[in-house]
Amino acid sequence: MNVALGGTFDPIHDGHRALFERALELGDVTVGLTSDDLAPKTRHDQRHVRPFSERKSALADELAALAADWEREWEVRELTEPTGIATEPQFDMLVVSPETETGGRRINEIREERGHDPLEIEVVPHVRAEDGDIISSTRIVEGEIDEHGNLTPNRTGRQNIS
C-alpha cells in the first residue's frame, strides 16, 4: 500500500508521531512537507516556521527511526500547494488528523476529476497533552507544552525549542 500524508511538522510532536506510525503500519509512506512559501498559508495563527531544509532534516530523522521498526520505505517531498502529492495516482491511502479530514475529501474530489480512484482516508485521533487539550505545534512554540504534551510553565516559547 502506498500511503500519503502531509503537513508543516514544525516542531514535530507526539501527535505527528501518531500519524507517522499509523501511516507506516499501513504501507510505504510519502510525506509531503509544506514549502517555505506554502507553510504560512496553511497556518491558522501567525507564528514563525523554521525553513524547509531544517524541517525536512528533522522529519527525515523521525521517519528513519520509525520506518526501521516497520521495515517500510519512506520519502519526503516538498508540497507547493495544499492538496499536494495526494492527488497523484500512485497513492492508495491518505492519513489525516481530525482537522484535515475535510481536506482529504477535497483531495478525493480532485482525484476523481482527474480519473483516479479515490483514496481511503484514515483519520488518526488527536494525542492529548497533560492538561487534556490536544498537543499542537502552536502550543509547543508558545511554550505551553513540550513535544510530548507535558506542561512547561517555565518556558517562554520558541527560543527554548531545539
Side-chain angles (χ1 to χ4, degrees):
M1 175 127 3
N2 290 315
V3 183
L5 67 137
T8 302
F9 306 118
D10 183 46
I12 294 172
H13 54 69
D14 286 354
H16 295 139
R17 290 181 187 101
L19 292 170
F20 305 151
E21 288 172 0
R22 181 63 180 142
L24 289 162
E25 181 181 342
L26 295 167
D28 292 332
V29 175
T30 302
V31 179
L33 181 63
T34 57
S35 68
D36 287 335
D37 288 338
L38 180 60
K41 297 174 187 168
T42 63
R43 311 274 18 107
H44 298 294
D45 54 3
Q46 296 296 320
R47 68 171 171 84
H48 173 74
V49 174
R50 291 180 305 152
F52 178 85
S53 61
E54 291 178 29
R55 292 182 288 120
K56 184 177 181 181
S57 177
L59 179 57
D61 290 346
E62 289 284 337
L63 292 172
L66 293 170
D69 292 340
W70 292 99
E71 298 181 5
R72 300 289 191 187
E73 298 293 320
W74 61 272
E75 72 173 313
V76 176
R77 292 181 43 203
E78 186 174 25
L79 290 182
T80 57
E81 58 185 69
T83 54
I85 60 172
T87 58
E88 297 172 7
Q90 71 269 27
F91 296 106
D92 306 300
M93 180 168 281
L94 180 65
V95 172
V96 298
S97 61
E99 67 268 14
T100 58
E101 183 177 7
T102 301
R105 288 196 295 272
R106 175 65 187 131
I107 285 167
N108 273 340
E109 290 171 6
I110 294 168
R111 287 176 65 85
E112 289 183 46
E113 289 168 6
R114 295 179 180 176
H116 305 318
D117 291 335
L119 297 173
E120 192 173 330
I121 297 176
E122 178 78 12
V123 181
V124 176
H126 289 124
V127 175
R128 300 281 169 181
E130 182 179 15
D131 61 2
D133 201 355
I134 65 169
I135 296 176
S136 73
S137 295
T138 299
R139 293 186 71 201
I140 296 166
V141 168
E142 290 176 352
E144 294 177 39
I145 59 173
D146 67 15
E147 69 183 271
H148 306 294
N150 299 306
L151 296 176
T152 55
N154 296 323
R155 284 211 6 243
T156 57
R158 177 117 233 177
Q159 64 271 18
N160 291 329
I161 297 172
S162 56

